[in-house]
DNA sequence: CTGTTAGCGCGTTCAC
DNA sequence: GTGAACGCGCTAACAG
């Protein structure tokens, strides 16, 4: 076990390097490099020798050096507003599964729903020289958009559809989805339909606008209540109480999110209201629990895992084929899920 | 706008480098480096000049180069089993907030509850030369443990308490928590207490064992049902039906997770059973919705965000003070939350 | 407070 | 199929 023979350089980290492996195997460093990255270019004999040396020495490639020499980082940056919102973990799963099996790593950051934090994060993340970037939504600051464009890194905006994408875009129209849902409620015979939203990020606002458009189309009245707090069961229950005490004749409510809807549904039950006879309730996102509520919740389903997967695939395709992206924009769609709460 | 004057080297990536900034500002590269990293060592005059050049040229530091030269990556690797389980996003938030404000980035990976995948991921992640590593649980393979130890990187195992931690450890005893909860149920007068678990990772198993110990202490009978599927409302409802049809005289059930408990609670309600009169239900984790259920769910609360935060702080401390860690092991504790479902 | 020198570990380029 | 030389962009070490 000859070891500590180096210490010649004051800067050496002591970690086993490619050269150490090369020396051990009696070949040149570049051969080791090739054995690891382009095995076809190296003879079987040497590959075996090298494989043994790698094992014996416990060699671990240094990613920074590789990245510096090849200007490929094998890192994809993913920027989400938050993970508490159950929507994102599912999207992330889709991204993760696709990217990891293609040999990429995910650098994750949360903006906490702040465009300013997003800008800072994008700046920091760009230092990593990521091979690709995923950002959430389409309301990046002008600065962020420019940074991203100048960086020349493939970018996918997810969740929404951008009229003028930074680069690539995989999402759906939250306006249309909510418009359709509200129309569906009208078609069921409800007359006074309310809307309750929380957090009111751009996607929630679009959902509200879709609702408003539908109300307008039907010559109905708007009953809107929104809060800037995060969505939660509790928040849904509170807003629900507030809205029905103001407008006791409302017969249906669309919520910007299943969390809110579920909270309201439980609150209504607690108060002895019958659903949907006394009040109909609809959500958005089709979270895992929504089908299990009593009664099961009418909502809008969006293909979250699939969206992550497709976004990852777009990125991988563009990385591989520097030229044309396979997609500029993918509308991943949505579907209204009618259940017994309406 | 003098620009394209380089192109001397065939390998240049075209990105603005430190040297470009130095030249533009009329100083040496190292001064720019210092202006950015150790501003105190540089005079105000030069700092201003440099700041301007950075802006004008749109300089973005190259992280790989920095990391290679300084052997500091400013990257923390976080390895979770999954994010679908609502427990982890909260822990991740605690980690994220603490680490990002300290200038670190998070490289995230999911094992999908597989120790083999974990081993592969740890290997890959080690290539990044992370400044620290967070892993979930204590059931790493022997290989993983050795890799981690050899890497000489600060490691924190979270969620559970390890008798013999790899390095540092922030968690709690799931056995004790479940034992206490079951004792609490007995103290309420329930006689035939069942346990339902899903996924049955090590933490779920410990919870089951805590339950079993309590049953033994009370000379009671065990009524255990478990499945390897993931936890969900639906899974909870299914297992619940299975258990009560086998043992119709059970008067209380402890679940390994709030998701399962909530599903069962809803199923019981659907069947017209009164909770807790006909059947008492208790969960684990105190997820956000648990308090809002009808009736509110008795459960065990664990400080998830706090656990993430403390794990991050341990890591940061050890990174800063190469010697002694501030903590070897932190028991973050838990608390029984009595509500109306029992 | 500022600069010079050298090298972090690997992969590209070009030669054999 | 294999190797030598050099450079990727930055900072540690040591001047001055």
């Amino acid at each position: 076990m000859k070891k500590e023979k180096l210490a010649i350089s004051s800067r050496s980290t002591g970690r086993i390097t490619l050269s150490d492996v090369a020396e051990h195997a009696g070949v040149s460093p570049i051969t080791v490099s090739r054995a690891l990255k382009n095995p076809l270019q190296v003879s079987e004999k040497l590959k075996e020798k090298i494989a043994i040396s790698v094992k014996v020495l416990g060699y671990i490639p240094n990613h920074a050096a590789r990245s510096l020499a090849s200007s490929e980082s094998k890192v994809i940056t993913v920027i989400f507003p938050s993970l508490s919102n159950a929507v994102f973990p599912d999207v992330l799963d889709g991204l993760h599964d696709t990217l990891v099996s293609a040999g990429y790593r995910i650098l994750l950051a949360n903006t906490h729903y702040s465009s300013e934090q997003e800008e800072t994060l994008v700046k920091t993340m760009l230092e990593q020289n990521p091979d690709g970037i995923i950002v959430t939504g389409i309301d990046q600051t002008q600065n962020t958009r420019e940074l991203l464009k100048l960086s020349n890194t493939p970018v996918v905006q997810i969740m929404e559809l951008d009229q003028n994408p930074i680069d690539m875009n995989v999402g759906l129209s939250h306006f249309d989805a909510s418009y359709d849902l509200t129309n569906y409620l009208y078609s069921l015979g409800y007359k006074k339909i309310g809307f309750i939203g929380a957090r009111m990020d751009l996607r929630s606002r679009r959902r509200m606008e879709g609702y408003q458009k539908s109300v307008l189309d039907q010559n109905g009245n708007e009953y809107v209540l929104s809060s800037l707090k995060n969505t939660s069961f509790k928040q849904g229950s509170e807003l629900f109480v507030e809205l029905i005490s103001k407008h006791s004749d409302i017969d249906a409510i669309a919520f910007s999110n299943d969390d809110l809807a579920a909270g309201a549904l439980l609150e209504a039950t607690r108060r002895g209201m019958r659903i949907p006879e006394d009040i109909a309730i609809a959500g958005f996102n089709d979270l895992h629990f929504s089908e299990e509520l009593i009664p099961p919740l009418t909502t809008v389903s969006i293909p979250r895992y699939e969206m992550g997967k497709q976004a990852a695939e777009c990125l991988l395709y563009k990385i591989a084929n520097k030229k044309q992206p396979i997609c500029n924009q993918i509308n991943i769609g949505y579907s209204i899920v009618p259940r017994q709460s309406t």
Side-chain angles (χ1 to χ4, degrees), chain A residues 279-333:
Chain A
I279 183 96
I281 289 179
F284 203 105
N285 280 336
D286 196 17
L287 299 181
H288 303 292
F289 58 75
S290 302
E291 189 178 359
E292 299 296 313
L293 295 172
I294 308 173
L297 183 67
T298 293
T299 186
V300 177
S301 167
I302 67 182
R304 299 189 285 276
Y305 183 91
E306 189 61 21
M307 181 157 52
K309 197 173 157 212
Q310 295 223 17
E313 280 166 1
C314 285
L315 222 42
L316 293 176
Y317 186 88
K318 186 158 183 194
I319 291 169
N321 311 272
K322 307 262 169 188
K323 331 271 170 197
Q324 303 305 354
I326 193 167
C327 74
N328 266 319
Q329 186 164 63
I330 294 179
N331 186 339
I332 195 95

Side-chain angles (χ1 to χ4, degrees), chain A residues 187-287:
Chain A
S187 79
L188 253 29
Y190 297 106
K191 305 287 184 213
K192 306 205 167 193
I193 304 176
F195 179 90
I196 287 179
R199 203 184 336 92
M200 299 321 278
D201 55 82
L202 187 54
R203 288 174 289 290
S204 303
R205 294 203 300 278
R206 290 283 171 274
R207 291 173 199 162
M208 185 176 76
E209 290 159 13
Y211 154 83
Q212 289 170 322
K213 173 75 171 13
S214 169
V215 171
L216 203 67
D217 285 2
Q218 307 282 337
N219 291 311
N221 285 318
E222 270 183 28
Y223 307 91
V224 171
L225 184 58
S226 69
S227 122
L228 294 178
K229 293 193 191 159
N230 277 331
T231 65
S232 66
F233 278 47
K234 175 167 269 173
Q235 185 61 199
S237 129
E238 287 171 7
L239 293 173
F240 171 74
V241 170
E242 193 179 334
L243 190 66
I244 58 165
S245 42
K246 270 195 214 145
H247 306 282
S248 55
D249 51 349
I250 285 182
D251 54 11
I253 305 179
F255 289 79
S256 70
N257 190 299
D258 278 4
D259 283 329
L260 296 173
L265 185 151
L266 291 166
E267 181 64 33
T269 306
R270 232 173 264 133
R271 297 174 166 238
M273 299 170 78
R274 292 163 309 156
I275 302 166
E277 294 80 3
D278 297 333
I279 183 96
I281 289 179
F284 203 105
N285 280 336
D286 196 17
L287 299 181

